[in-house]
Amino acid sequence: MKTDNTQRQRLDRVWLSKDSCDIEAFRVEVERRTNLADYPHALACEKNVLIYDSASLLAACATTDGRRAALAEICEALAIGPGVAVFKRAYADTSVIDAASGIFDAIIEEQHRTNSGGGDHFAKPGANDRIWNSLEKHCLKSPENFAVYYANSIVALVSEAWLGPNYQMTAQVNRVNPGGASQSAHRDYHLGFQTSDVIEQYPAHVHRLSPVLTLQGAVAHCDMPLESGPTLFLPYSQTYLPGYLALKRPEFSAYFDEHHVQLPLEKGDVVFFNPALYHAAGSNRSADIKRVANLLQVSSAFGRAMETVDRTRMSVALYPAIKALVGSGTLSPEEAANAIASCAEGYSFPTNLDRDPPLGGLAPKTQAQLMHEALAGGWSDQEFRKALDEQTRRKLS
Ligand SMILES: [Fe+2]
């Protein structure tokens, strides 16, 4: 009898199911209030969402201890806190954003002209325009703007807080036109993009693992008043373990529709959230605001990102631009490192250990390390390209 019971409990612990999701247990998780005193770096808490002033947060990171404290606070805010935070004025100079918006508009026009790209998995066709892999397209169209855009210290800080170093940046633009309808409530990549039949085949620890392998962010490319439909969030919903499955049940989506929160954003603000947080893009009820966000999806060095990115091609394009921007003093060495981290591969593996042995350490040189070495050594563009090609070849089986 006892054995039966133990077996039953084990099955329930390891196999989560859609049928066992309980709306009352969910309410206990999400009906918590954020105590601002728990987050001393935060400026405010609005609608249960933490608001940070980017300049003061970065000032607190000036020392090693200060930075460790800020990283720890952001990590817990996303893990066990509300799961979402707004970083006001993350881009203090919005001319960088405007220049990037011009590049994105040109890419969207090109997609329309050539009838390519732009399909969306959560919205009706025509309601919005998508640029998949805006990261690589942006880098190849304007390495100079890419370098300054991804030099951003808040993007680097929050990515590191959640994922540690050597993260893999990917990005997608979403432009929601007036009249564009809202998305359905969802969680994000990886398990968020699977059907419940598939999700139920993964043991519970994978449900815990998936959200710590990615981070979702959005850079506001225009002012987003509520009528324009900034993202809807349900704070604390990331903490409900069977939440990937619960969303397939109507009482959970109904709860989201009734209790979600929405905050207006200004151009240059960045919002970051746990990929397991229930969220959905809002409907654009404005007459004339094309709501444009660059959605950052940052992956752990140890995870597999959603999109294929040709980081070698990007590194070839970025190197001359970053060399010039550092040379002219436009980018500090730290900012240049942030831009390189968003472009080049920062992790040594997978590789071919016969040809690419870990000389002088435990891991072979990464693409990012090679770019730092080239910059420090003043290599020509040709020298860097040659070394990059050789490194890429060494990693093949
Ligand atoms: Fe999403």
Side-chain angles (χ1 to χ4, degrees):
M1 209 46 194
K2 187 169 184 297
T3 315
D4 283 357
N5 196 28
T6 310
Q7 291 296 340
R8 182 73 251 157
Q9 286 173 349
R10 172 172 289 158
L11 287 170
D12 289 346
R13 273 200 309 274
V14 174
W15 301 118
L16 307 176
S17 73
K18 194 171 78 169
D19 294 339
S20 64
C21 293
D22 174 12
I23 190 77
E24 289 310 315
F26 180 72
R27 291 180 78 116
V28 170
E29 294 292 333
V30 300
E31 292 181 3
R32 283 183 278 169
R33 304 304 305 169
T34 305
N35 179 7
L36 188 58
D38 292 339
Y39 302 94
H41 292 85
L43 177 73
C45 177
E46 285 173 31
K47 301 182 185 172
N48 230 9
V49 173
L50 289 165
I51 314 287
Y52 286 88
D53 173 65
S54 297
S56 347
L57 179 61
L58 292 174
C61 294
T63 63
T64 308
D65 287 351
R67 186 173 164 86
R68 295 288 281 179
L71 290 169
E73 179 177 320
I74 295 165
C75 183
E76 289 211 336
L78 296 173
I80 56 173
V84 50
V86 176
F87 297 85
K88 297 299 292 179
R89 294 168 293 280
Y91 285 82
D93 174 8
T94 53
S95 67
V96 180
I97 302 266
D98 291 337
S101 296
I103 295 162
F104 296 156
D105 285 345
I107 295 171
I108 290 171
E109 274 162 38
E110 200 173 305
Q111 284 182 176
H112 284 179
R113 241 191 352 261
T114 57
N115 216 0
S116 64
D120 197 306
H121 39 228
F122 286 117
K124 289 193 185 71
N128 63 339
D129 291 292
R130 276 271 180 183
I131 306 175
W132 295 114
N133 194 4
S134 68
L135 186 89
E136 187 172 339
K137 291 167 184 164
H138 186 176
C139 183
L140 299 181
K141 277 242 189 283
S142 174
E144 295 77 16
N145 181 256
F146 177 97
V148 179
Y149 189 97
Y150 285 100
N152 190 275
S153 301
I154 288 290
V155 170
L157 182 78
V158 185
S159 299
E160 189 184 336
W162 190 241
L163 304 163
N166 306 324
Y167 47 79
Q168 315 167 67
M169 183 66 67
T170 63
Q172 305 93 32
V173 167
N174 195 17
R175 185 174 81 180
V176 180
N177 304 315
S182 55
Q183 290 178 329
S184 39
H186 62 279
R187 283 180 165 186
D188 274 333
Y189 189 76
H190 325 65
L191 283 184
F193 285 15
Q194 306 287 342
T195 61
S196 43
D197 288 352
V198 175
I199 298 169
E200 284 181 350
Q201 294 171 40
Y202 288 92
H205 64 218
V206 178
H207 292 240
R208 291 192 186 91
L209 176 69
S210 178
V212 298
L213 290 177
T214 59
L215 173 67
Q216 293 295 137
V219 181
H221 274 245
C222 61
D223 288 346
M224 299 182 182
L226 293 187
E227 56 163 359
S228 72
T231 310
L232 320 172
F233 296 108
L234 185 61
Y236 293 93
S237 52
Q238 84 281 8
T239 63
Y240 185 61
L241 182 62
Y244 289 102
L245 292 160
L247 262 175
K248 318 285 180 187
R249 290 177 51 147
E251 70 271 33
F252 285 84
S253 37
Y255 187 93
F256 178 87
D257 291 342
E258 211 176 312
H259 295 93
H260 63 73
V261 299
Q262 197 179 21
L263 289 171
L265 296 175
E266 292 165 291
K267 182 163 66 176
D269 293 350
V270 177
V271 57
F272 275 105
F273 58 99
N274 183 316
L277 189 78
Y278 286 13
H279 68 279
S283 54
N284 187 344
R285 283 187 287 267
S286 73
D288 53 4
I289 304 171
K290 285 184 173 179
R291 194 183 78 238
V292 183
N294 193 22
L295 308 176
L296 306 179
Q297 188 174 60
V298 199
S299 288
S300 159
F302 308 139
R304 287 207 282 178
M306 187 171 73
E307 293 189 297
T308 313
V309 178
D310 188 341
R311 297 189 184 277
T312 306
R313 181 157 76 147
M314 288 173 67
S315 297
V316 167
L318 186 70
Y319 180 68
I322 214 146
K323 202 165 50 170
L325 290 163
V326 172
S328 66
T330 310
L331 290 185
S332 70
E334 293 76 25
E335 290 172 323
N338 294 341
I340 292 171
S342 290
C343 168
E345 175 58 58
Y347 191 55
S348 304
F349 305 105
T351 191
N352 178 335
L353 285 163
D354 279 329
R355 272 203 299 256
D356 188 29
L359 297 172
L362 294 172
K365 192 182 292 174
T366 67
Q367 213 171 50
Q369 284 169 331
L370 186 68
M371 200 186 304
H372 281 290
E373 195 178 317
L375 274 178
W379 298 3
S380 70
D381 301 347
Q382 290 74 13
E383 283 172 308
F384 175 64
R385 188 178 192 145
K386 187 163 170 282
L388 195 62
D389 285 345
E390 282 166 9
Q391 186 188 53
T392 307
R393 252 197 315 278
R394 279 196 302 277
K395 289 184 176 297
L396 298 175
S397 65

